Amino acid sequence: DAKTTQPPSMDCAEGRAANLPCNHSTISGNEYVYWYRQIHSQGPQYIIHGLKNNETNEMASLIITEDRKSSTLILPHATLRDTAVYYCIVRVASFTGGGNKLTFGTGTQLKVEL
Amino acid sequence: GAVVSQHPSRVICKSGTSVKIECRSLDFQATTMFWYRQFPKQSLMLMATSNEGSKATYEQGVEKDKFLINHASLTLSTLTVTSAHPEDSSFYICSANEVTLTEAFFGQGTRLTVV
């Protein structure tokens, strides 16, 4: 799986958009970008994933650059409950269980403040 | 999304005893589950891959005789920490995949404290 680089921490004011960057310059053509977050003392939560098109769901938007070497997770209106460590993971999507193990980096600690 | 449940959420045990942690997929079948460990202020580290009906696959450096994994059904995997010691105190997390989806779903984690 390709390695990712994320800033260790970011702050965001409540109600504003939180833009979390991720660099994955060695990504391969068949690798997807996945985002998970981990609220303190809980298991990780799936947020979104994409291959090359931008994606949006009820939680967030994922913007992937045209060369696919970086991406940005956008939380459009951050709340205090979005305070968590956000992990960007690049891997081949697989429908077979063995291919779905995840390699977690250090992630970005997002702190949403009043 | 799919629901994965872990039990117990917290456990305190005496040094030398064994502790069993359960991971259940509540609304789907999971032929493969994964066990992770997370020490304070660190990221998740994969310990082993649990395969239904066969032996688990352990990551390098993880003692298979200490961390026993059983995946006897399509909805249940268990991790037993044998002869626990204080250095085994950690946050243990499982994940499972529903076969038609590519994203993994995680349990809520188990905080193990060995005293």
Side-chain angles (χ1 to χ4, degrees):
Chain A
D1 293 344
K3 182 174 177 171
T4 62
T5 304
Q6 299 178 252
S9 64
M10 292 183 66
D11 294 333
C12 178
E14 189 177 35
R16 305 297 291 267
N19 299 291
L20 292 95
C22 179
N23 286 320
H24 31 79
S25 58
T26 59
I27 191 171
S28 300
N30 62 346
E31 289 182 312
Y32 287 68
V33 180
Y34 281 78
W35 283 84
Y36 285 80
R37 73 179 182 184
Q38 185 179 25
I39 296 170
H40 183 63
S41 293
Q42 296 183 24
Q45 176 189 22
Y46 165 79
I47 301 173
I48 198 168
H49 74 282
L51 182 63
K52 53 185 177 181
N53 296 324
N54 297 337
E55 302 287 344
T56 296
N57 62 21
E58 64 278 4
M59 289 184 68
S61 295
L62 173 60
I63 308 298
I64 303 174
T65 58
E66 193 168 340
D67 63 7
R68 302 206 326 120
K69 293 185 177 182
S70 65
S71 61
T72 301
L73 179 75
I74 301 172
L75 307 178
H77 305 287
T79 70
L80 298 178
R81 288 177 295 180
D82 291 321
T83 292
V85 178
Y86 286 76
Y87 296 99
C88 168
I89 299 170
V90 174
R91 51 172 287 268
V92 176
S94 171
F95 289 97
T96 59
N100 280 305
K101 64 180 179 182
L102 299 175
T103 301
F104 287 82
T106 53
T108 296
Q109 170 67 64
L110 174 68
K111 186 181 295 184
V112 181
E113 301 172 311
L114 292 172
Chain B
V3 178
V4 176
S5 177
Q6 258 182 267
H7 178 79
S9 57
R10 290 179 176 270
V11 58
I12 300 173
C13 72
K14 291 184 177 180
S15 187
T17 61
S18 296
V19 174
K20 180 185 285 187
I21 302 170
E22 293 186 347
C23 179
R24 294 181 183 272
S25 55
L26 296 186
D27 51 0
F28 66 99
Q29 294 182 332
T31 56
T32 303
M33 294 185 178
F34 302 92
W35 288 95
Y36 296 82
R37 180 168 54 181
Q38 185 176 33
F39 292 108
K41 298 190 185 301
Q42 295 187 22
S43 189
L44 284 79
M45 294 296 294
L46 180 67
M47 298 175 65
T49 301
S50 170
N51 303 297
E52 187 269 336
S54 64
K55 291 183 178 180
T57 304
Y58 291 82
E59 296 299 302
Q60 191 172 8
V62 178
E63 301 174 56
K64 66 179 191 301
D65 294 331
K66 180 169 182 63
F67 299 99
L68 302 179
I69 291 173
N70 183 281
H71 193 158
S73 78
L74 288 172
T75 59
L76 174 64
S77 174
T78 61
L79 169 68
T80 300
V81 183
T82 63
S83 186
H85 291 286
E87 57 265 31
D88 297 323
S89 298
S90 188
F91 193 51
Y92 292 85
I93 307 166
C94 71
S95 77
N97 289 89
E98 202 278 329
V99 71
T100 63
L101 302 174
T102 62
E103 59 267 32
F105 295 95
F106 289 80
Q108 62 269 49
T110 297
R111 176 75 59 191
L112 170 63
T113 303
V114 184
V115 297

